[in-house]
């Protein structure tokens, strides 16, 4: 999903990007109300999230179908790209992103391991309020 939305932004198709985001939000809310109303509770909420994302990916692929090629690369400009240089740039970026995410989320993992469910729930709530 982020790659497809990034493709829309890179192509400056901002109306389509906003439209797909709105569509996914409306679908997520509608399916959540429907599935929770049918008695699926948490499974219904997760199902609504999954269904809306699948539909969003389908819409994004439909919008970007003329830009996506699944066959051989035909353009000489694309063949001349040095992928080694790109990968040597991506490795440190990916490593630093992983370290940041691990640093930010490691406290929740440790709390879940060492505290009971009520205390870890209170900690999680306090962390969310702190982020807000």
């Amino acid at each position: 999903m982020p790659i497809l939305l990034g493709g829309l932004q890179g192509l400056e198709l901002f109306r389509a990007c906003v439209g797909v985001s709105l569509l996914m939000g409306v679908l997520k809310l509608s399916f959540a109300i429907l599935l929770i109303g049918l008695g699926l509770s948490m499974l219904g909420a997760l199902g609504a999230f999954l269904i809306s994302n699948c539909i969003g990916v389908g819409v994004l692929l439909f919008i970007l179908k003329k830009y996506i090629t699944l066959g051989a690369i035909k353009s000489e400009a694309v063949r001349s790209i040095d992928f080694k240089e790109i990968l040597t740039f991506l490795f440190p970026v990916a490593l630093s992103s992983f370290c940041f995410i691990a640093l930010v989320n490691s406290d929740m993992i440790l709390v879940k391991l060492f505290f009971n469910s009520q205390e870890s729930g209170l900690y999680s709530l306090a962390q969310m309020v702190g982020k807000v």
Side-chain angles (χ1 to χ4, degrees):
M1 181 68 74
I3 293 171
L4 297 173
L5 285 173
L8 281 181
Q9 289 178 358
L11 293 168
E12 297 180 359
L13 300 172
F14 299 119
R15 290 181 191 213
C17 188
V18 170
V20 169
S21 297
L22 285 173
L23 174 71
M24 285 178 47
V26 169
L27 287 174
K28 197 178 306 176
L29 181 64
S30 302
F31 281 118
I33 291 171
L34 175 71
L35 295 175
I36 292 172
L38 291 174
L40 294 175
S41 65
M42 183 59 89
L43 187 61
L46 292 173
F49 182 75
L50 178 68
I51 292 168
S52 68
N53 278 336
C54 289
I55 292 173
V57 166
V59 171
L60 286 171
L61 287 173
F62 179 75
I63 293 170
L64 293 171
K65 71 180 178 183
K66 63 182 172 184
Y67 301 104
I68 298 173
T69 59
L70 298 176
I73 298 173
K74 297 177 183 176
S75 172
E76 285 297 323
V78 174
R79 285 187 187 161
S80 66
I81 294 175
D82 184 17
F83 288 106
K84 184 178 179 184
E85 182 179 336
I86 293 172
L87 290 176
T88 56
F89 172 75
L90 284 178
F91 179 72
V93 171
L95 183 65
S96 64
S97 295
F98 173 76
C99 290
F100 176 74
I101 291 170
L103 178 68
V104 171
N105 294 319
S106 63
D107 62 334
M108 286 301 299
I109 295 169
L110 293 173
V111 166
K112 184 69 177 167
L113 287 174
F114 294 111
F115 292 96
N116 64 30
S117 61
Q118 184 179 4
E119 290 174 340
S120 62
L122 290 173
Y123 182 84
S124 173
L125 178 65
Q127 184 188 37
M128 282 183 155
V129 171
K131 285 181 180 178
V132 170

